[in-house]
Amino acid sequence: MRALVWHGKEDIRCDTVTDPEIQDPRDAIIKVTSCAICGSDLHLFHNMIPAMLPGDILGHETMGEVVEVGKGCKGKLKKGDRIVVPFTIFCGECEQCRRGNYSCCETSNRKKELCEKVFGHTVAGLFGYTHLTGGYPGGQAEYLRVPFADTTHIKVPDSLTDEQALFLSDILPTGWQAAVQCDIEPTDTVAIWGCGPVGQMAIRSAVLLGAKQVVAIDCLPERLGMAEAGGAIPINFLEESVISRLNELTDGKGPEKCIDAVGSESHVSFAQPDTLFDRAKQLMLLENDRPHVLREMAYVCRPGGILSIPGVYLGLDDKIPMGHIMNKGLTIRTGQTHVNRWTDDLLQRIEDGQLDPSFVITHTVDLEDGPEMYRVFRDKQDSCIKVVLRP
Ligand SMILES: NC(=O)c1ccc[n+]([C@@H]2O[C@H](COP(=O)([O-])OP(=O)(O)OC[C@H]3O[C@@H](n4cnc5c(N)ncnc54)[C@H](O)[C@@H]3O)[C@@H](O)[C@H]2O)c1
Ligand SMILES: [Zn+2]
Ligand SMILES: [Zn+2]
């Protein structure tokens, strides 16, 4: 089959690889009908996350039709079913799964020892996302083996298009979880850094969950425009001071809730000198991330507020203002998304017409064009916001 394969830093190719086969009774194989490129894939593109190996198949936002089912799926899935595959692989039986903490599944990471060594504990296996999280082949491919397929799926009705359903795999529940973790009250201002696909979903979620005011921060006009269309007040951080504007919008008190939908790869600019410092430290291998947004959120957030962090961080960060966080009594909530904790509710909302996540798609191309689209998405060429690939 054809698949997008990681060969090294900024080297992704569409290769012919071996078709996946059932390896465990709980596996299923799907024929992929649509898949997408995520901001998280850019961290792999930049080789920022350790433990990728040449030959690894990328992709963790995937849907398709079930073509083969292992005997262990016990009637939960059958040939012909149309499913979205959550990016977190989960067993449904361990203590973490029983609590709904699917991204912390204790069973699904087949390279647990490696993960335990690095993080102190294992976390769930993820599709197409480094050997720290299992080294499972991803879904930017014609076919995908789904491990623990009896639990790791979201069935979708034929009434929804691929475009409406695909983002249940990741960015929709990710934006939703980020907003839910803010315990939004009707009097709250929710400030969201980053208007990429995750930020866009967080904006719609915060609006749906009844925030008084949602503010969106980025520097790309087309993304700020999409944020405004979703009900947010835009701030362009290259044109004005984020701190002053947020204070102005909240009678000098600061937003109660702050969401970091940027993560480790904050823009490097002279307007934000700490990012230059982080970049230099990254080059000297003294720091993993550029946590500018964390610093800004800790400074501007109202005392007693919540910092919700869906943005991915990779390792060790410098100059995290624990003094601000501690003295202002801020709560930090973060994590890879517990996708299936939210998807029944979100699927219902899509079916009811409350939400249509397809608004975020700007490019739909063949799988063969995937390598080129990694660049277009990374460089924000052609006003690119979200790429869907069709194998
Ligand atoms: N927690 C999870 O389970 C989960 C799931 C999916 C994605 N993610 C992460 O969420 C983050 C966003 O993903 P995405 O797909 O939207 O990526 P993206 O790269 O398309 O978007 C990031 C946006 O942040 C903006 N940005 C950069 N620096 C900024 C700054 N200082 N202030 C404000 N905005 C800034 C960029 O211009 C860009 O629009 C990534 O870190 C990704 O890895 C996490
Ligand atoms: Zn993702
Ligand atoms: Zn589990």
Side-chain angles (χ1 to χ4, degrees), residues 37-304:
I37 305 178
C38 178
S40 297
D41 292 322
L42 294 180
H43 311 315
L44 305 178
F45 188 54
H46 295 146
N47 199 16
M48 301 278 287
I49 305 193
M52 283 298 284
L53 294 176
D56 287 345
I57 300 175
L58 293 162
H60 60 266
E61 299 185 356
T62 305
M63 67 182 293
E65 187 193 321
V66 176
V67 291
E68 232 184 304
V69 187
K71 289 193 179 70
C73 290
K74 296 186 197 119
K76 301 247 174 65
L77 216 53
K78 60 177 191 321
K79 256 189 191 178
D81 281 346
R82 186 167 173 243
I83 62 169
V84 169
V85 181
F87 77 95
T88 41
I89 304 168
F90 70 105
C91 75
E93 291 165 349
C94 71
E95 196 187 319
Q96 291 286 6
C97 282
R98 287 201 306 272
R99 289 169 186 263
N101 294 337
Y102 302 123
S103 71
C104 306
C105 174
E106 295 166 331
T107 315
S108 63
N109 188 342
R110 62 181 181 174
K111 307 227 166 138
K112 261 184 217 153
E113 298 71 28
L114 187 62
C115 189
E116 281 166 358
K117 210 165 177 181
V118 175
F119 293 145
H121 294 85
T122 189
V123 295
L126 307 179
F127 289 98
Y129 220 74
T130 97
H131 292 259
L132 279 179
T133 47
Y136 287 101
Q140 288 165 3
E142 288 182 291
Y143 293 89
L144 174 68
R145 174 173 84 94
V146 183
F148 299 96
D150 54 324
T151 43
T152 304
H153 69 260
I154 301 144
K155 274 191 199 158
V156 287
D158 288 335
S159 57
L160 299 185
T161 61
D162 272 24
E163 289 77 3
Q164 286 174 302
L166 176 61
F167 302 132
L168 286 165
S169 57
D170 179 350
I171 55 169
L172 177 58
T174 295
W176 184 257
Q177 177 172 301
V180 170
Q181 286 183 156
C182 286
D183 294 341
I184 294 174
E185 310 262 352
T187 47
D188 281 346
T189 294
V190 181
I192 300 173
W193 279 254
C195 298
V198 170
Q200 298 294 341
M201 297 300 160
I203 290 164
R204 267 70 178 177
S205 301
V207 168
L208 259 177
L209 290 167
K212 184 179 95 184
Q213 144 171 277
V214 177
V215 188
I217 303 145
D218 206 302
C219 61
L220 300 165
E222 65 277 11
R223 293 185 179 210
L224 286 167
M226 189 183 263
E228 204 173 1
I233 300 166
I235 300 181
N236 186 330
F237 68 82
L238 291 180
E239 289 174 0
E240 54 187 328
S241 155
V242 174
I243 308 274
S244 310
R245 187 77 199 289
L246 283 174
N247 282 329
E248 226 173 80
L249 287 165
T250 53
D251 299 323
K253 293 190 159 194
E256 287 89 345
K257 310 289 160 66
C258 296
I259 296 177
D260 173 357
V262 176
S264 64
E265 298 199 66
S266 177
H267 278 289
V268 178
S269 80
F270 285 100
Q272 299 167 336
D274 59 311
T275 60
L276 301 174
F277 177 80
D278 290 324
R279 187 78 198 100
K281 291 201 91 172
Q282 282 181 318
L283 291 172
M284 292 185 283
L285 304 179
L286 294 173
E287 186 178 19
N288 297 98
D289 303 310
R290 297 194 293 274
H292 169 81
V293 172
L294 287 184
R295 298 182 189 119
E296 201 158 73
M297 294 200 311
Y299 188 80
V300 78
C301 188
R302 192 177 302 199

